[in-house]
Amino acid sequence: AQSVTQLDSQVPVFEEAPVELRCNYSSSVSVYLFWYVQYPNQGLQLLLKYLSGSTLVKGINGFEAEFNKSQTSFHLRKPSVHISDTAEYFCAVRGPSGGYQKVTFGTGTKLQVIP
Amino acid sequence: GAGVSQSPSNKVTEKGKDVELRCDPISGHTALYWYRQSLGQGLEFLIYFQGNSAPDKSGLPSDRFSAERTGGSVSTLTIQRTQQEDSAVYLCASSLAQGLTDTQYFGPGTRLTVL
């Protein structure tokens, strides 16, 4: 079965500084990878997804992620964060377990942007 | 158009009582998912409905949990004889079920507190 590991539960960063949120997955076969954002008291919103093709994926709000098959990673990056980026970010994987219908989520990383 | 809606937004109940949580998916979405988000943990898959097929119930944690989807639209998640460990945010998502690249759209969740 596939699994997702988000190594950092909380990441504080100053406004306008760059940030990287780490995500590693485990699966022996092809998977599809996602990043979701959850703002306070709201549901999850899709930031970006990797399905195939270019390993650098650009999403909404200036975020991007790079798929690295050899390192089984899908880290999320933003070159300059804003206060409004304060939220919880979830990495997720869809793989063959459950016929590709189940999405396995990581435990989340809380990004706190400091003014 | 309207997104996924869930009701109630908050539910406080006493241990041993039954609760029903409702999810209204996006119109036309044939796939519907329930997840549980507990404090400090990721999203835990509970159950998946796809069209008229038998639901995938493999994520339900115990036989106190059940869900149904009437008319291929609205879904109700029922928890019988609630326990304190059932306290969590219950999230519903729907999708067009367009295959492996399908995108899920999440509702705002129902926060369940069992006293």
Side-chain angles (χ1 to χ4, degrees):
Chain A
Q2 66 261 11
S3 66
V4 177
T5 301
Q6 291 185 245
L7 299 172
D8 305 301
S9 59
Q10 294 191 39
V11 173
V13 63
F14 286 104
E15 191 175 17
E16 298 184 4
V19 68
E20 178 180 85
L21 306 183
R22 297 180 293 171
C23 172
N24 288 85
Y25 68 93
S26 65
S27 176
S28 58
V29 296
S30 297
V31 294
Y32 302 96
L33 295 156
F34 307 80
W35 275 98
Y36 286 85
V37 59
Q38 186 177 32
Y39 297 105
N41 301 314
Q42 295 187 30
L44 274 74
Q45 178 182 0
L46 182 67
L47 263 183
L48 50 79
K49 58 185 176 183
Y50 171 77
L51 305 175
S52 64
S54 173
T55 57
L56 184 63
V57 180
K58 294 188 181 297
I60 61 173
N61 300 340
F63 283 92
E64 63 181 31
E66 185 160 17
F67 171 63
N68 188 320
K69 188 174 182 179
S70 63
Q71 297 186 3
T72 60
S73 67
F74 190 55
H75 300 332
L76 181 70
R77 302 186 184 100
K78 186 169 182 178
S80 176
V81 295
H82 301 132
I83 293 291
S84 59
D85 293 324
T86 295
E88 190 160 17
Y89 293 78
F90 292 90
C91 183
V93 60
R94 169 177 276 159
S97 175
Y100 282 96
Q101 296 308 317
K102 288 183 188 175
V103 179
T104 302
F105 287 84
T107 53
T109 297
K110 291 184 178 178
L111 175 62
Q112 182 183 6
V113 180
I114 304 165
Chain B
V4 177
S5 62
Q6 292 185 247
S7 60
S9 56
N10 282 283
K11 176 71 175 179
V12 180
T13 190
E14 294 179 346
K15 178 182 174 181
K17 300 280 190 180
D18 297 351
V19 295
E20 286 189 351
L21 313 180
R22 177 187 168 104
C23 172
D24 281 89
I26 294 173
S27 178
H29 281 193
T30 59
L32 188 147
Y33 305 75
W34 282 99
Y35 295 90
R36 179 168 68 175
Q37 185 177 20
S38 302
L39 189 63
Q41 300 189 26
L43 275 72
E44 175 188 10
F45 168 81
L46 297 177
I47 189 169
Y48 162 67
F49 295 91
Q50 169 52 40
N52 296 321
S53 302
D56 179 350
K57 303 180 183 180
S58 59
L60 295 179
S62 77
D63 58 8
R64 296 187 295 105
F65 288 73
S66 62
E68 62 177 19
R69 189 177 184 192
T70 55
S73 181
V74 172
S75 176
T76 302
L77 177 69
T78 301
I79 308 173
Q80 295 179 311
R81 306 181 301 282
T82 52
Q83 303 296 313
Q84 289 183 332
E85 60 263 29
D86 299 334
S87 296
V89 176
Y90 290 82
L91 292 169
C92 174
S94 71
S95 72
L96 282 169
Q98 291 178 315
L100 304 182
T101 61
D102 199 35
T103 296
Q104 296 178 329
Y105 296 84
F106 284 81
T110 294
R111 183 176 297 276
L112 175 66
T113 303
V114 182
L115 301 177

